[in-house]
Amino acid sequence: MEIKITKTACPKVKPDSSELGFGKIFTDHMFIMDYSREKGWYDARIVPFGPFEIHPASTVLHYGSEIFEGLKAYRREDGRVQMFRPIENIRRMNNSAERLCLPQIDEEMAMEILKTFVKCEEDWTPSAPGTSLYLRPFMYGNDETLGVHAVHNARFMIIASPVGSYYKEGINPVKIMIEDQDVRAVRGGTGYAKCGGNYAASNRAGERAEQKGYSQVLWLDGVERKYIEEVGAMNVMFKINGEVVTPALTGSILPGITRKSCIEVLKSEGYKVSERLLSIDELEAAMADGTLEEAWGCGTAAVVSPIGELSYKGEIFTVNEGKIGEVTQKLYDTLTGIQWGKIEDKFGWICPLD
Ligand code: PLP
Ligand code: COI
């Protein structure tokens, strides 16, 4: 496929790594490609980053037809830039697209687009420890009519942002509030898809948690409010009595790529890992009798993030004395070691740019 590249006439000054944070600074260019049922995908282009026009009746503005992905490019010590398991993001994006009646993108074409775009923005990949170039592919329905139906026109874009840590705590333990009022998703809904609507529906509980000093909420299932699901922007894992337990992929949680990678690392090191239903009662009992040894969240933005405190209906539980646990640290070191090319990638997860 042909990708037309129009370079910016005024490249921006690159920020100092101390200014990064998460998703506040954007690179010089963005990728855009349009879709119609008649033509398929057309007009793939990389253009200077900036605002663009959208029709006021566009489907996304009224009916929320939007999906997105999140993955990172990492700068190795030898200066080369590499991505982590991008094919998994492409596959998940196509699954999300299927759920939201948005068009599919051929895997090979999507990979070519990603590599071409990252090569174009490669200089923006920071090198300070813990920093990376966050890539945000997204797709939205772009029909210029108010009828409610599967989309006939869509747009796919990628923007990129040099980032540091997602939480202000960095690798220090975060405080999480277990939400007992709102629910994020139900089976049969869109919980397993990475669509903007899931996040819009999460904001009210997230805001309440932030006001009480918590970083994010931990969701319970939408039917019985009984089973642990996931955190606002990451999957969740617990070490209970020597066993690592993570909620099974029942359809209402996001099948995280970091989750999948953690499970593969843990199993390869001989840990017992169970993907199963975990009730809030079982978790509360483990918190009360001290068998909850560690808790952590995992996601592309959040990496591996220890949970130092959990609160449920006003009761506060400290996990592992508020310190990062041994397994959490090991997972963080292994995943980041592979991502930044510091340790051997025996799983074949790394994707160089050429
Ligand atoms: N769950 C939610 C709701 C998320 O937003 C994310 C972040 O992408 C994850 C889980 C973790 O997914 P991944 O590891 O693929 O980034
Ligand atoms: C990611 O980790 O890539 C995410 O998409 C989380 C995000 C909502 C910040």
Side-chain angles (χ1 to χ4, degrees):
M1 72 173 316
E2 197 210 335
I3 302 177
K4 189 170 173 240
I5 302 181
T6 309
K7 287 276 177 110
T8 177
C10 352
K12 291 178 262 193
V13 177
K14 305 216 172 30
D16 187 78
S17 60
S18 61
E19 297 163 36
L20 293 180
F22 183 82
K24 295 181 297 190
I25 296 164
F26 295 93
T27 63
D28 282 323
H29 302 95
M30 57 190 183
F31 175 83
I32 308 182
M33 177 166 79
D34 291 305
Y35 172 89
S36 76
R37 281 216 176 161
E38 301 72 43
K39 292 202 247 179
W41 289 108
Y42 65 95
D43 206 4
R45 56 208 188 270
I46 291 174
V47 296
F49 181 91
F52 57 92
E53 286 194 345
I54 185 162
H55 193 281
S58 178
T59 329
V60 66
L61 298 180
H62 301 269
Y63 308 126
S65 303
E66 192 266 357
I67 57 170
F68 68 96
E69 270 304 324
L71 69 161
K72 284 172 170 172
Y74 305 83
R75 188 174 293 283
R76 300 161 51 100
E77 261 165 13
D78 63 11
R80 279 184 290 153
V81 170
Q82 58 192 24
M83 289 185 280
F84 182 73
R85 309 190 83 175
I87 192 68
E88 297 287 339
N89 294 88
I90 292 168
R91 289 183 181 145
R92 186 171 63 188
M93 188 171 75
N94 278 331
N95 288 339
S96 302
E98 193 278 329
R99 180 64 184 85
L100 276 275
C101 283
L102 284 159
Q104 299 285 302
I105 302 187
D106 171 79
E107 284 182 11
E108 260 178 49
M109 179 166 101
M111 190 62 99
E112 188 188 334
I113 291 169
L114 260 181
K115 284 187 177 175
T116 308
F117 179 64
V118 177
K119 265 189 236 164
C120 183
E121 302 304 77
E122 194 176 348
D123 287 356
W124 279 89
T125 314
S127 58
T131 64
S132 53
L133 185 64
Y134 184 76
L135 305 167
R136 172 53 65 86
F138 60 106
M139 189 195 293
Y140 61 88
N142 203 16
D143 287 332
E144 299 175 355
T145 159
L146 295 179
V148 180
H149 51 70
V151 302
H152 291 228
N153 294 276
R155 177 169 276 196
F156 173 66
M157 298 184 60
I158 312 176
I159 54 175
S161 169
V163 297
S165 63
Y166 184 67
Y167 295 115
K168 65 175 176 5
E169 290 86 348
I171 177 70
N172 295 317
V174 291
K175 289 163 64 177
I176 300 289
M177 196 173 104
I178 302 175
E179 172 63 26
D180 60 5
Q181 294 172 48
D182 291 356
V183 294
R184 175 185 175 273
V186 289
R187 284 170 219 168
T190 56
Y192 70 89
K194 204 160 166 64
C195 63
N198 290 341
Y199 297 79
S202 306
N203 280 341
R204 185 170 71 174
E207 187 65 17
R208 281 196 299 252
E210 269 183 39
Q211 277 165 9
K212 292 186 178 154
Y214 290 88
S215 297
Q216 280 190 345
V217 302
L218 173 56
W219 296 104
L220 299 178
D221 77 276
V223 179
E224 297 180 73
R225 292 189 192 161
K226 179 174 172 190
Y227 297 104
I228 304 291
E229 298 243 296
E230 63 182 324
V231 178
M234 51 191 193
N235 294 111
V236 71
M237 298 189 168
F238 302 92
K239 184 161 169 259
I240 304 175
N241 224 356
E243 181 192 11
V244 175
V245 182
T246 192
L249 299 178
T250 49
S252 50
I253 66 175
L254 194 78
I257 294 156
T258 321
R259 173 190 180 278
K260 183 175 181 176
S261 308
C262 286
I263 294 172
E264 288 172 47
V265 166
L266 288 169
K267 286 192 172 164
S268 79
E269 306 235 344
Y271 285 93
K272 185 161 181 243
V273 185
S274 294
E275 296 177 66
R276 63 170 170 87
L277 294 181
L278 171 65
S279 72
I280 181 66
D281 295 344
E282 183 184 345
L283 185 65
E284 261 194 303
M287 292 193 281
D289 69 14
T291 47
L292 175 68
E293 295 157 13
E294 295 182 44
W296 64 91
C298 52
T300 300
V303 195
V304 173
S305 191
I307 298 174
E309 183 181 309
L310 280 164
S311 92
Y312 181 56
K313 294 189 171 168
E315 212 174 333
I316 292 174
F317 299 90
T318 303
V319 186
N320 193 35
E321 297 170 347
K323 295 192 296 243
I324 183 165
E326 199 184 312
V327 176
T328 316
Q329 184 74 57
K330 184 188 222 9
L331 275 175
Y332 179 87
D333 292 343
T334 308
L335 283 188
T336 57
I338 294 172
Q339 288 163 340
W340 274 277
K342 289 185 179 154
I343 60 177
E344 189 205 346
D345 170 27
K346 61 178 183 188
F347 300 95
W349 289 338
I350 285 309
C351 174
L353 295 187
D354 10 57

